[in-house]
């Protein structure tokens, strides 16, 4: 079968050039006689791969020198606990913004370690918008302010960096990192799983400002301790070496594509097209406020939910895969991360129009 | 360059057949039109891959039905904290046996959560043996007894399962799992990183008896909680999907090779050969007691340490890679896990003899 267009929310589509490169190098990385996945993580070959990967990320995101860049495990879910465990620093409260399923999970986990003050929530509106910044009630005594820059399930994305009222700003950027320009210097911590815009699953990128490193109490597990991980260059335990390598290949691909600014333009174009097709249709609709619709995850419902099964079946037959919405919300969802070519979005739009005509 | 023999302690050599299969399936897994690393972890393709992998492990190790089999992240280092956090169950002490660098690390981390009683230690003898079982002072009030079945750095391996005096027996099997037959029913918990005998790094296998699941206090991070991980089939956070797939390929290879009993015979043969060559030489020596020499990691020193550099250089030129001992002990180390062919050991022995003749 030919390669399909895969709209999975993550793990998700990768650039074909990355897969081809990995395939070519599988049994013998650049004359080393080894696969990357067989290399000692302390050996010269892998150390070079790791260094290039880290430097490429620093370059692509223009990460300032006063940040540590860590490559950890356990996904965003691990960070939900690691963040309060590392940076409460004796304080007893933390501020969270609730804009969807992932914010909600972060809030729940943080509640094990501190009092969570939800400074704003769009839950009443079924997570279809972002509460106006001026209404956020930030507690200046809190340890930090946490938000989720893109809600993968609800399709809600921040287009501006919120004001944190002097608190360190902590952001779960799992599903839109590297899809748009970000001023890293405005954040205390940025974290993201790799499985959407950066590679396969199995690595969590954590970018943490130096003053937030070294605050964890001794009871925190060593692998959860930012200071210990930073001291050992994220090799406190054996890192997921092959995943680092693949992340590196994706970063090299992104650089060759023109970097974050270039991919952002393409992402805007892809998303605009698809929202336009949805808005102009009488069969499809998207419930999210227009000023915070996600460029990455585009949920939509069919006017007649009885058609859902047929839609998914026909889409699959047309090489358009994994379009079912998350089980918690139903309907459809098209995840169109960096690696989804514009041709994939075009094919989806064409299919949707054809399906609408025939039903 | 041709494929080399790679004696790395981990990540380490993989069966060539596994790499070839992964290479073939890289862009399109069995007509799905996707790479495994692009698949949703909740989709039917990946769910089938995960189920086969888990069942193959259960079959290969004959894991009884009253055990949960988890595929987590963070390596053995994460388990060093997770074990006391999950199974102290209100008790304040745990028993540990210290037979080398990895036991020492486990003891250090456990000390954050309980009083560690070191029931036996071979530290005085520089970790070249295992203290006689009858001298172990097991505390019946402790929560569990922990030991490391193979010390990767010191090359010391248990040939018998210790008596745990009624306590749950917990074992770090990272560097010899699947290399020899094990009676899983004698253990409370077996855990192992995948990067030695099971695949690339990035997954930790945890086999835990059901009565030890569900004892963690609420303060334990969700991703660290055995119960929560078991309830979600190790998908509490997005698993390292491609690593699971590769682990599955290694398990299928092992089954085709005749399973654990067959590979154990080959491992005995490989190790016996190499120890014999070392013992008969006047240049090389291994300091470990003969009844507990590791079949997996064979450290040796040269009578004249000034020759070390030349030995490593010449070995590399002969396609024998990563033979330097761990930086903490120096000398040489040949790690000969399941995937190291007997021909690799033969080539090493031949090279060592030639090097001895010419120096």
């Amino acid at each position: 079968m030919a390669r399909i267009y895969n709209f999975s929310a993550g793990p998700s589509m990768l650039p074909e050039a990355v897969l081809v490169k990995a395939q070519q190098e599988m049994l013998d990385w650049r004359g080393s006689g080894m696969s990357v996945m067989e290399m000692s993580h302390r050996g010269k070959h892998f150390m070079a791969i790791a260094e290039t990967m880290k430097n490429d990320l620093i370059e692509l995101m223009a990460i300032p020198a006063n940040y540590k860049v860590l490559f950890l495990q356990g996904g965003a879910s691990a960070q939900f606990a690691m963040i309060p465990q590392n940076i409460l620093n004796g304080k007893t409260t933390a501020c969270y913004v609730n804009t969807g399923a992932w914010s909600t999970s972060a809030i729940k986990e943080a509640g094990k370690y501190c009092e969570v003050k939800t400074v704003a929530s769009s839950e009443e509106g079924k997570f279809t918008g972002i509460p106006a910044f001026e209404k956020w009630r930030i507690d200046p005594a809190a340890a930090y302010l946490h938000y989720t820059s893109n809600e993968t399930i609800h399709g809600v994305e921040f287009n501006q960096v919120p004001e944190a009222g002097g608190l360190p700003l902590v952001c779960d950027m799992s599903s839109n990192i590297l899809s748009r320009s970000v001023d890293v210097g405005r954040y205390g911590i940025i974290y993201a799983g790799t499985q959407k815009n950066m590679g396969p699953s199995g690595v969590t990128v954590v970018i943490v400002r130096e003053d937030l490193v070294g605050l964890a109490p001794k009871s925190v597990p060593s692998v959860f301790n930012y200071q210990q991980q930073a001291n050992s260059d994220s090799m406190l335990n054996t890192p997921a070496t092959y995943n680092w390598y693949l992340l590196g290949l994706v970063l090299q691909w992104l650089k060759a594509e023109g970097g974050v600014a270039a991919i952002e333009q393409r992402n805007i174009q892809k998303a605009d097209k698809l929202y336009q097709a949805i808005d102009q249709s009488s069969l499809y609709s998207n419930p999210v406020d227009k000023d915070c619709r996600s460029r990455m995850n585009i949920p939509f419902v069919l006017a007649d939910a009885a058609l859902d099964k047929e839609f998914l079946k026909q889409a699959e037959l047309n090489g358009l895969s994994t379009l079912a919405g998350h089980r918690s919300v139903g309907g459809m969802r098209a995840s169109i991360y960096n690696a989804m070519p514009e041709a994939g979005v075009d094919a989806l739009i064409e299919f949707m129009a054809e399906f609408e005509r025939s039903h």
Side-chain angles (χ1 to χ4, degrees), chain A:
Chain A
M1 186 176 179
R3 297 254 312 153
I4 57 169
Y5 294 119
N6 166 19
F7 294 89
S8 170
S12 51
M13 208 164 170
L14 288 167
E16 192 166 319
V18 165
L19 296 173
V20 169
K21 181 93 172 162
Q23 185 178 45
Q24 286 166 349
E25 296 181 336
M26 178 62 83
L27 275 91
D28 181 10
W29 183 81
R30 302 190 191 174
S32 65
M34 288 185 265
S35 177
V36 172
M37 63 181 89
E38 300 177 296
M39 293 175 181
S40 167
H41 55 302
R42 307 280 184 193
K44 66 179 179 188
H45 294 312
F46 187 73
M47 294 297 275
I49 289 169
E51 196 184 346
T52 302
M53 181 272 281
K54 185 174 174 176
N55 287 339
D56 282 344
L57 183 65
I58 290 170
E59 182 186 331
L60 279 163
M61 292 187 71
I63 301 172
N66 61 324
Y67 285 76
K68 299 287 186 191
V69 184
L70 307 177
F71 303 93
L72 306 181
Q73 298 185 354
S77 298
Q79 293 308 309
F80 295 166
M82 279 176 80
I83 287 159
Q85 287 198 318
N86 274 273
I87 70 166
L88 277 173
N89 196 22
K91 296 190 175 172
T92 56
T93 61
C95 290
Y96 279 72
V97 183
N98 190 2
T99 53
W102 289 104
S103 311
T104 304
S105 293
I107 287 168
K108 192 176 167 202
E109 187 75 4
K112 292 181 176 180
Y113 307 102
C114 59
E115 186 194 339
V116 172
K117 297 201 173 168
T118 304
V119 301
S121 172
S122 56
E123 190 170 8
E124 272 195 18
K126 294 190 178 173
F127 298 126
T128 53
I130 292 173
F133 290 174
E134 55 275 17
K135 294 190 178 162
W136 295 16
R137 287 158 306 167
I138 296 169
D139 176 356
Y144 59 89
L145 172 67
H146 179 282
Y147 81 109
T148 307
S149 57
N150 183 70
E151 286 283 356
T152 321
I153 293 175
H154 293 94
V156 171
E157 184 170 10
F158 281 75
N159 281 305
Q160 284 175 288
V161 182
E163 279 301 326
L167 301 184
L169 185 60
V170 177
C171 182
D172 179 355
M173 229 173 253
S174 289
S175 51
N176 68 350
I177 192 167
L178 290 175
S179 74
R180 60 193 300 153
S181 298
V182 163
D183 181 357
V184 176
R186 294 190 59 184
Y187 292 87
I189 298 177
I190 290 170
Y191 65 97
T194 44
Q195 68 271 19
K196 293 147 197 305
N197 270 321
M198 295 193 283
S201 56
V203 182
T204 321
V205 171
V206 183
I207 303 163
V208 50
R209 212 173 56 210
E210 279 174 351
D211 60 292
L212 299 172
V213 174
L215 307 178
K218 280 186 185 164
S219 60
V220 171
S222 295
V223 298
F224 263 37
N225 185 306
Y226 291 146
Q227 178 80 71
Q228 287 183 259
Q229 290 285 9
N231 288 350
S232 61
D233 259 331
S234 307
M235 289 196 182
L236 191 67
N237 62 296
T238 308
T241 50
Y242 197 65
N243 311 60
W244 285 26
Y245 157 74
L246 289 162
L247 164 53
L249 292 185
V250 171
L251 297 177
Q252 279 163 31
W253 168 83
L254 184 52
K255 282 173 72 174
E257 294 289 307
V260 173
I263 209 86
E264 179 169 10
Q265 288 313 310
R266 204 190 299 169
N267 287 331
I268 290 171
Q269 201 163 319
K270 280 152 54 184
D272 280 354
K273 264 188 196 183
L274 185 48
Y275 282 115
Q276 201 172 16
I278 291 169
D279 290 344
Q280 287 174 352
S281 131
S282 51
L283 179 60
Y284 311 108
S285 64
N286 168 288
V288 179
D289 294 350
K290 286 192 177 165
D291 60 354
C292 55
R293 283 173 159 184
S294 170
R295 296 173 186 164
M296 298 284 102
N297 311 98
I298 304 187
F300 57 92
V301 293
L302 276 62
D304 179 3
L307 289 173
D308 283 5
K309 266 198 175 170
E310 185 62 16
F311 181 92
L312 288 168
K313 187 180 152 192
Q314 292 296 331
E316 200 75 49
L317 290 172
N318 283 273
L320 306 168
S321 174
T322 324
L323 279 161
H326 190 267
R327 59 199 188 290
S328 65
V329 294
M332 306 297 151
R333 173 176 49 173
S335 295
I336 51 171
Y337 300 117
N338 286 355
M340 173 61 69
E342 193 163 345
V345 177
D346 291 341
L348 173 61
I349 291 169
E350 197 180 321
F351 166 76
M352 287 168 69
E354 177 55 36
F355 186 87
E356 184 168 359
R357 271 192 296 276
S358 59
H359 285 86

